[in-house]
Amino acid sequence: MLRSHRWLVGGVALLAAVLAGSAFAAKRQPGVFVVGVDGMDPDILKRLIAEGQMPEFAKLAAEGSFQSLGTSVPPQSPVAWSNFVTGMNPGGHGIFDFIHRDPATYKPISSATPPVDDPGSAVHFFGYVIPTSAPEVVNNRGGTPWWDVLTDEGVNVEVYRIPGNFPTPPSDARVLGGMGTVDLRGGFGTYTLYTDQPVEEDPKGDIQRVKVQDFDLDGQGDTVTAILRGPPDQFRLEPGAIPGDDDYLTKGVTVHLGAERGSAVIEVDGQRALLREGEWSPWLELNYEALPFGLVTVSGTVRFYAKQLLGGFQLYASPVNFSPANPATPLTSPDDFANELYESLGFYYTQGMPEETDALKDGVFDDDDYIRQVALVQEDTQRMVSLALERFEPGDATFVYLSDVDLQCHMLWRHGDPKHADAPPHPAHDPATAPKHEHDIEGFYRDVDRELGRIREALPPDTLLVVMSDHGFQPYTRKFHLNGWLREQGFLALKDGATTGQIVTGDVDWSKTKAYGLGFNGLYLNVAGREGEGSVAPEDVDALVEELRTKLEAIVDPKTGARAVFRVDRAVDVYSDERRAEGPDLIVGYDRGYGASDESTLGEITEAILEDNTSRWSGNHLMSPDVVPGILLVNRKLAGADYDLTDLTVTLLAHYGVEPQPGMVGEAIR
């Protein structure tokens, strides 16, 4: 017994020495600081450097290296960032698209979380629905994040706003999730508009028609009352029920208009904000009581924007974010990192995509409204980068995420193409507003350049600095209805000879359907034994794949004469096999200017095949990876080239002398 005890003590001591040695070895390495600039394009960056508009990038490129960085297949943000996080391709980490499909029902499902078969159970108690069991909602991304590997090796790691990290996996590294983190309603950002005017378009937000009332009877309207919806009223909902409009906890909102309607005081949950027209409020914290007597409270934060006070009334409320002071769901790992950030920063955006793109797409915002709101996000980001720099010490590994370029390219490309000087006007081009905003995208590039200058100045000497993007950008002028094309070509059939319909509403005749599209780039075969009503025999799959690929790559747009599809990849050729069966059989890589329509992405079958894209969502990257590579800048000279995101992951490990993990497919950058 004594001998065993001594062995145990000796073993623990040896283990401790090994761990200490590992940590010491990690600390002896210069640190790594990675700046992830979502959507930064190598061609645009080269032009701006050549024109002298990006002096900090020019210095970094001259001192080290600047080259293109290969993106993922397909080049979608959740896929690309998962490649970077895990060093795997989609066949390994299991994220193939924003949208996956349930093979049993053909219905689209989120790629962020696996589908849940059992919604759980509950008991009823004085009118409340008390859950007795609930499914665990987990992140669908497989593999091991590089930060977990480095943390195990004793490296101090901090990651700020990494996309695709919600639901938040447990980790000892300090990680704040970004894109994909939901708002308090459980969606990706539902805004509220209080207005006394009709809204003509079909908006995604919560539109509340209100009346400006004359409470003091002086003949002038002075008061507006409304509600602000928060989280679903979970103790009134049966397990698995989808909440309707009346199934959310609410807070009353009262707006007092000032004399001559030059200002307004907004009251909500015991707090007040004074706004003039065109101003945003600070964050206001809301506490929604899910159960009485404070037994369960869900905290959120909101900002109001006084869009119009005179000559009409329009008050905008941001999506209600989870409060970082008291988040009701883990937003970070460890859980208390969110509070740690709050203590240093105060309130900050916790919603994954804080730019209010839906408001601009819906016409609720004009470009000026949108850019004012983007400025708030930029301030938030700059404070977070400053904090990351303050906390960074030699030997650390830190990642910071900048969203500026990606979302503004999506929304503002229609005003002026920053990549192709001779491009014709975008179908969504508005000559009345374009002159004011045609160079806004270049302005956001310059903003990133200034951030890079701050970062370079603050980092300790010898720190390895990496600036990378997940993909580049192209115009999105023509939208392709993949399911409409499949119907026209005889690969997809609708019931009763119909020419339009939807997969989710049961309009497809699966007995006569060979293939269908779901997601932005995914094409699935209706394989017997795999799909719910499969009709394609497994032995016929290869021939069908080749037929589809040949026909898709031959499509010529009759309006432009250009090819719509650059290349089509077979999953078996580009993905590892661990989770390949969960993804599409073919990945449609669109050419420059082309992309999947929203309708087809969600499974709608249309009469039209190709149409102009007149949406304000006018720049895109959901194409072939060949036409939207990302960027890689390093403050070291690189001997090689043609690297991709998975190589970068392995390089971060190699910097600390750590071998690639099982399933990683990249190679260290030299």
Side-chain angles (χ1 to χ4, degrees):
M1 185 68 182
L2 179 61
R3 188 172 179 178
S4 300
H5 175 72
R6 283 178 177 170
W7 180 88
L8 178 62
V9 171
V12 170
L14 178 61
L15 177 62
V18 169
L19 291 176
S22 174
F24 178 70
K27 281 291 184 184
R28 285 188 303 176
Q29 300 294 332
V32 178
F33 199 93
V34 182
V35 183
V37 189
D38 203 315
M40 184 164 269
D41 184 89
D43 291 340
I44 299 174
L45 180 58
K46 285 175 190 171
R47 173 173 73 82
L48 296 180
I49 287 176
E51 293 173 357
Q53 296 193 55
M54 306 286 282
E56 296 297 336
F57 274 84
K59 282 188 274 187
L60 178 57
E63 295 166 9
S65 302
F66 169 27
Q67 56 186 253
S68 296
L69 183 66
T71 181
S72 56
V73 182
Q76 300 185 24
S77 291
V79 184
W81 287 110
S82 294
N83 278 22
F84 167 67
V85 168
T86 66
M88 296 174 157
N89 62 47
H93 55 64
I95 305 298
F96 299 90
D97 197 294
F98 278 97
I99 295 170
H100 289 180
R101 64 80 168 90
D102 181 342
T105 64
Y106 301 93
K107 290 183 177 178
I109 55 177
S110 168
S111 65
T113 57
V116 175
D117 294 329
D118 180 5
S121 57
V123 297
H124 296 81
F125 186 73
F126 289 106
Y128 290 98
V129 180
I130 308 298
T132 54
S133 69
E136 182 183 6
V137 181
V138 299
N139 195 307
N140 193 35
R141 187 190 63 215
T144 305
W146 57 262
W147 53 76
D148 281 349
V149 181
L150 291 185
T151 299
D152 289 345
E153 293 293 327
V155 180
N156 180 44
V157 182
E158 296 195 353
V159 177
Y160 294 83
R161 284 185 170 152
I162 185 73
N165 208 54
F166 186 87
T168 307
S171 173
D172 291 329
R174 291 180 174 85
V175 182
L176 171 66
M179 183 188 301
T181 304
V182 300
D183 65 6
L184 212 59
R185 294 178 67 156
F188 294 114
T190 302
Y191 65 83
T192 304
L193 178 69
Y194 309 100
T195 178
D196 62 355
Q197 303 153 39
V199 177
E200 295 181 357
E201 298 187 35
D202 183 22
K204 294 180 180 177
D206 182 354
I207 308 299
Q208 296 185 29
R209 286 293 299 273
V210 297
K211 183 178 180 181
V212 182
Q213 302 177 77
D214 180 13
F215 279 6
D216 60 6
L217 303 179
D218 66 351
Q220 301 292 323
D222 50 56
T223 305
V224 173
T225 59
I227 61 170
L228 181 60
R229 292 182 173 87
D233 191 355
Q234 57 181 318
F235 294 106
R236 302 282 188 185
L237 285 168
E238 297 295 332
I242 298 174
D245 286 347
D246 297 330
D247 295 324
Y248 292 89
L249 299 173
T250 61
K251 288 290 179 183
V253 177
T254 304
V255 183
H256 303 282
L257 293 167
E260 307 299 327
R261 300 182 66 159
S263 62
V265 173
I266 300 159
E267 293 184 348
V268 59
D269 206 14
Q271 299 172 82
R272 290 185 171 190
L274 172 63
L275 297 179
R276 289 184 290 272
E277 189 170 289
E279 288 185 343
W280 280 89
S281 77
W283 287 110
L284 302 177
E285 187 170 28
L286 312 171
N287 292 301
Y288 292 91
E289 284 201 5
L291 285 177
F293 310 116
L295 290 174
V296 176
T297 300
V298 182
S299 299
T301 57
V302 67
R303 302 183 83 146
F304 290 93
Y305 174 58
K307 178 172 171 57
Q308 183 181 22
L309 300 179
L310 188 62
F313 180 82
Q314 294 186 78
L315 178 69
Y316 180 93
S318 71
V320 183
N321 286 220
F322 281 98
S323 169
N326 184 28
T329 190
L331 302 173
T332 61
S333 63
D335 289 356
D336 60 3
F337 186 45
N339 308 100
E340 203 175 329
L341 295 176
Y342 170 71
E343 289 172 3
S344 297
L345 300 171
F347 291 119
Y348 54 87
Y349 282 100
T350 59
Q351 177 194 338
M353 284 178 58
E355 288 90 345
E356 311 270 359
T357 56
D358 279 344
L360 182 56
K361 287 173 70 177
D362 292 347
V364 169
F365 274 2
D366 61 24
D367 293 305
D368 294 334
D369 296 326
Y370 176 70
I371 288 172
R372 284 193 192 101
Q373 193 271 328
V374 168
L376 300 178
V377 180
Q378 287 186 307
E379 290 172 13
D380 220 37
T381 302
Q382 289 163 7
R383 291 188 302 130
M384 201 163 281
V385 171
S386 296
L387 180 65
L389 290 168
E390 289 170 15
R391 296 166 65 105
F392 186 84
E393 295 183 0
D396 289 354
T398 292
F399 171 90
V400 296
Y401 173 81
L402 306 181
S403 62
D404 280 7
V405 168
D406 179 81
L407 289 171
Q408 280 47 275
C409 283
H410 277 304
M411 302 310 303
L412 302 173
W413 200 286
R414 60 200 152 89
H415 292 310
D417 190 324
K419 191 166 180 175
H420 311 99
D422 57 348
H426 192 281
H429 181 82
D430 179 358
T433 56
K436 184 177 180 181
H437 298 288
E438 61 184 337
H439 296 299
D440 282 356
I441 290 174
E442 287 94 330
F444 287 106
Y445 268 74
R446 291 192 294 273
D447 291 341
V448 175
D449 189 74
R450 283 189 285 274
E451 277 302 284
L452 179 59
R454 288 203 308 129
I455 292 168
R456 280 165 53 85
E457 186 175 347
L459 287 178
D462 299 328
T463 301
L464 175 62
L465 174 61
V466 178
V467 183
M468 49 80 70
S469 68
D470 54 335
H471 53 70
F473 251 88
Q474 291 284 1
Y476 175 29
T477 55
R478 298 278 285 168
K479 56 181 183 180
F480 181 64
H481 299 285
L482 175 60
N483 283 316
W485 179 84
L486 290 169
R487 173 195 49 76
E488 182 194 60
Q489 295 292 313
F491 296 108
L492 186 153
L494 292 167
K495 295 175 180 174
D496 303 322
T499 55
T500 61
Q502 306 223 17
I503 290 176
V504 293
T505 53
D507 298 330
V508 175
D509 182 345
W510 294 108
S511 68
K512 300 177 182 175
T513 292
K514 297 179 180 178
Y516 63 103
L518 274 177
F520 289 96
N521 297 91
L523 199 166
Y524 296 86
L525 305 188
N526 190 27
V527 179
R530 188 188 71 180
E531 312 294 293
E533 300 177 55
S535 63
V536 178
E539 60 269 26
D540 295 334
V541 164
D542 286 346
L544 179 57
V545 161
E546 283 309 308
E547 183 183 5
L548 284 164
R549 180 157 71 174
T550 301
K551 288 186 173 180
L552 280 165
E553 291 181 348
I555 293 173
V556 175
D557 185 346
K559 178 177 179 180
T560 66
R563 288 177 58 190
V565 176
F566 187 90
R567 87 177 203 217
V568 178
D569 288 303
R570 291 170 49 127
V572 294
D573 295 333
V574 295
Y575 292 160
S576 307
D577 61 2
E578 295 97 319
R579 297 181 64 179
R580 187 172 63 217
E582 302 172 30
D585 299 288
L586 291 167
I587 303 95
V588 183
Y590 297 98
D591 206 343
R592 161 190 162 187
Y594 292 83
S597 68
D598 288 349
E599 297 91 334
S600 200
T601 297
L602 294 173
E604 184 174 346
I605 300 94
T606 57
E607 191 79 46
I609 308 300
L610 278 159
E611 290 184 295
D612 278 344
N613 171 34
T614 57
S615 167
R616 296 179 179 94
W617 191 271
S618 49
N620 214 351
H621 51 84
L622 310 180
M623 303 175 179
S624 167
D626 305 83
V627 300
V628 285
I631 59 145
L632 174 65
L633 291 97
V634 187
N635 60 348
R636 306 281 194 275
K637 295 296 182 185
L638 300 180
D642 299 327
Y643 298 113
D644 68 24
L645 290 162
T646 60
D647 297 323
L648 193 49
T649 319
V650 174
T651 304
L652 295 179
L653 303 186
H655 180 73
Y656 292 96
V658 180
E659 293 293 320
Q661 300 298 292
M664 289 186 173
V665 297
E667 296 181 359
I669 294 172
R670 307 291 180 191

